[in-house]
């Protein structure tokens, strides 16, 4: 530890407590100089602690943190951004219409988890919604120069947002494997295909033989992967492939109800339905009730997500749990690493079957 990093009282500093008064007698906020005086260290050492703690001894780090707590010092983000070239903020960019944000509980759960994970680093999260081309243009103009990175949620194939962000050099992490970008974009995803396979296996082992599915949108990674898992397990179970048993949905409650009504018309003998989201499964349950089908006696229903919609359903949904807390935490970890200069990374997290009353 260098002499300048030895914690203790500085001999040429004013007594602690003077930071609270200005020349006019008004209280002023504590500064980095006040923190240095309280810690008995140089301003340069305090600055290194505030910028990551590099080349700082454990004793000096502890002294600075204690001084920050005692003085109530907070970082002047504007001043620091002028020095570092960073905004110290991150965008949560949802590429869906605004009404979907309020309808789908998954988005709120993910937003809360990312906010919590970033709070541990004292970084604010900015919610941005880009469901139209005009919104995408406005958000792209803001993102360039105003945020350090983007957490991208619900990207569709053909959606230019991720490509534009990548081309602009903006650090980016997608929720779900982006379609068509290979290893260029970091992402964190649940094991969608494995989860779908597990649900179909469970329905088969419970005695169901006419297992249909309401898939997610086939321009989304989750929709593609969950349908692929369904097809694979149907084949593994020795059941005949039947396209009449497959109806695409849009991840909404109304879309699930419409898809289930069509499925019942195509295959009235269906005895189980794997639904690619809990919110759509609520719509499926409504369609089955309207058709006079009992759940699970006549038709078993399995969802995907283990969102609040699963517990709010009647009967409560058997579903595949996505580890939302881990997904949000990993998205933040990977994004901060990328902002720090690391290469893009991919993280796939396991899912879990949750048994309830619907199957």
């Amino acid at each position: 530890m260098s002499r300048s990093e030895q914690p203790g009282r500085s001999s040429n500093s004013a007594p602690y407590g003077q930071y609270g008064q200005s020349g006019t007698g008004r209280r002023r906020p504590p500064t980095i100089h006040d923190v240095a005086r309280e810690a008995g260290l140089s301003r340069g050492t305090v600055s290194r602690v505030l910028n990551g703690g590099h080349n700082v001894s454990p004793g000096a780090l502890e002294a600075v943190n204690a001084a920050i707590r005692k003085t109530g010092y907070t970082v002047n983000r504007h001043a620091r951004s002028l020095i570092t070239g960073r905004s110290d903020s991150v965008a949560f960019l949802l590429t869906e219409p605004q009404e979907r944000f309020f309808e789908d509980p998954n988005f709120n759960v993910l937003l809360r988890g990312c906010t919590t994970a970033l709070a541990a680093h004292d970084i604010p999260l900015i919610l941005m919604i880009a469901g139209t081309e005009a919104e995408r243009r406005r958000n792209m103009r803001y993102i360039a120069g105003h945020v350090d990175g983007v957490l991208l949620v619900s990207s569709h194939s053909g959606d230019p947002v991720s490509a534009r962000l990548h081309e602009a050099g903006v650090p980016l992490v997608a929720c779900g494997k982006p379609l068509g970008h290979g290893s260029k974009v970091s992402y964190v995803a649940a094991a969608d295909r494995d989860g779908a396979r597990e649900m179909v296996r469970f329905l088969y082992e419970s005695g169901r033989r006419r297992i249909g599915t309401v898939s997610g949108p086939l321009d989304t990674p989750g929709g593609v992967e969950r349908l692929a898992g369904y097809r694979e397990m149907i084949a593994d179970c020795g059941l005949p492939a039947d396209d009449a048993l497959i109806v695409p949905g849009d991840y909404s409650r109304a879309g699930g109800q419409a898809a289930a009504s069509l499925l019942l018309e195509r295959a009235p003998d269906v005895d189980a339905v794997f639904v690619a989201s809990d919110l759509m499964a609520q719509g499926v349950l409504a369609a089955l009730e309207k058709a006079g089908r009992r759940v699970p006696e006549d038709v078993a229903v399995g969802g995907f997500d283990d969102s609040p919609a699963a517990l709010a359903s009647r009967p409560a949904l058997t579903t595949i749990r996505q580890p939302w807390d881990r997904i949000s935490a990993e998205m933040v970890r990977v994004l901060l690493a990328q902002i720090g200069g690391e290469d893009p990374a991919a993280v796939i997290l396991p899912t879990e079957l949750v048994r309830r009353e619907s199957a």
Side-chain angles (χ1 to χ4, degrees):
M1 184 186 300
S2 67
R3 183 176 179 181
S4 65
E5 290 186 358
Q6 293 289 342
R9 297 310 305 254
S10 174
S11 60
N12 60 353
S13 64
Y16 171 70
Q18 296 301 312
Y19 74 88
Q21 300 292 328
S22 68
T24 62
R26 297 177 182 175
R27 291 190 61 82
R28 63 172 176 81
T31 68
I32 190 172
H33 299 285
D34 300 316
V35 174
R37 183 182 302 118
E38 172 62 24
L41 296 168
S42 70
R43 182 186 181 282
T45 300
V46 175
S47 180
R48 288 198 295 276
V49 171
L50 296 175
N51 287 285
H54 303 294
N55 301 317
V56 178
S57 68
L61 180 62
E62 182 179 353
V64 171
N65 286 330
I68 289 172
R69 291 192 296 270
K70 188 168 184 178
T71 61
Y73 173 77
T74 57
V75 175
N76 184 326
R77 293 186 180 277
H78 177 67
R80 187 164 74 177
S81 69
L82 293 176
I83 298 171
T84 64
R86 294 181 181 175
S87 68
D88 281 340
S89 62
V90 165
F92 183 98
L93 181 58
L94 175 64
T95 57
E96 294 286 352
Q98 292 188 21
E99 57 269 20
R100 288 295 307 281
F101 174 74
F102 296 101
E103 180 189 21
D104 194 326
N106 292 332
F107 298 143
N108 289 279
V109 172
L110 190 62
L111 175 64
R112 183 170 62 249
C114 290
T115 301
T116 300
L118 283 167
H121 300 273
D122 196 28
I123 297 175
L125 185 64
I126 302 171
L127 171 62
M128 308 179 78
I129 297 178
T132 67
E133 178 57 30
E135 289 173 340
R136 286 193 285 270
R137 287 197 301 269
R138 285 195 297 272
N139 287 328
M140 286 297 298
R141 287 198 301 268
Y142 182 86
I143 286 169
H146 286 88
V147 299
D148 294 328
V150 173
L151 300 167
L152 180 63
V153 180
S154 192
S155 180
H156 297 254
S157 64
D159 185 341
V161 171
S162 60
R164 291 176 184 173
L165 291 170
H166 178 71
E167 291 167 2
V170 178
L172 165 69
V173 176
C175 181
K177 183 178 181 180
L179 298 174
H181 293 289
S183 61
K184 296 180 180 179
V185 175
S186 293
Y187 68 89
V188 178
D192 292 302
R193 187 176 300 213
D194 290 345
R197 288 175 57 89
E198 186 173 15
M199 178 60 76
V200 175
R201 182 191 301 113
F202 170 76
L203 294 171
Y204 177 81
E205 291 176 349
S206 66
R208 312 293 171 157
R209 294 298 181 267
R210 288 287 284 169
I211 304 172
T213 186
V214 175
S215 76
L218 299 182
D219 64 345
T220 63
V224 170
E225 289 293 300
R226 293 170 203 177
L227 179 58
Y230 163 84
R231 290 184 186 275
E232 289 174 0
M233 187 50 62
I234 287 293
D236 289 352
C237 292
L239 299 175
D242 186 349
D243 287 342
L245 291 170
I246 301 172
V247 182
D250 62 0
Y251 286 148
S252 73
R253 185 182 291 104
Q257 184 167 356
S261 297
L262 179 58
L263 177 60
L264 289 171
E265 289 179 15
R266 290 182 178 180
D269 59 340
V270 65
D271 62 4
V273 185
F274 163 53
V275 191
S277 81
D278 293 341
L279 195 61
M280 286 199 301
Q282 286 189 331
V284 171
L285 292 174
L288 290 171
E289 182 179 13
K290 185 176 181 180
R293 305 293 181 90
R294 298 171 301 164
V295 177
E297 293 85 356
D298 301 326
V299 181
V301 177
F304 202 107
D305 290 331
D306 197 29
S307 69
L311 288 173
S313 300
R314 294 294 178 268
L317 278 174
T318 292
T319 188
I320 295 295
R321 174 176 293 159
Q322 294 202 62
W324 290 112
D325 289 344
R326 291 188 62 194
I327 290 172
S328 55
E330 283 296 295
M331 287 180 69
V332 168
R333 182 189 66 79
V334 172
L335 182 62
L336 294 182
Q338 194 172 338
I339 291 171
E342 295 187 16
D343 292 333
V347 179
I348 299 178
L349 299 171
T351 57
E352 176 187 358
L353 176 70
V354 180
R355 297 182 62 174
R356 296 195 180 97
E357 291 79 40
S358 68

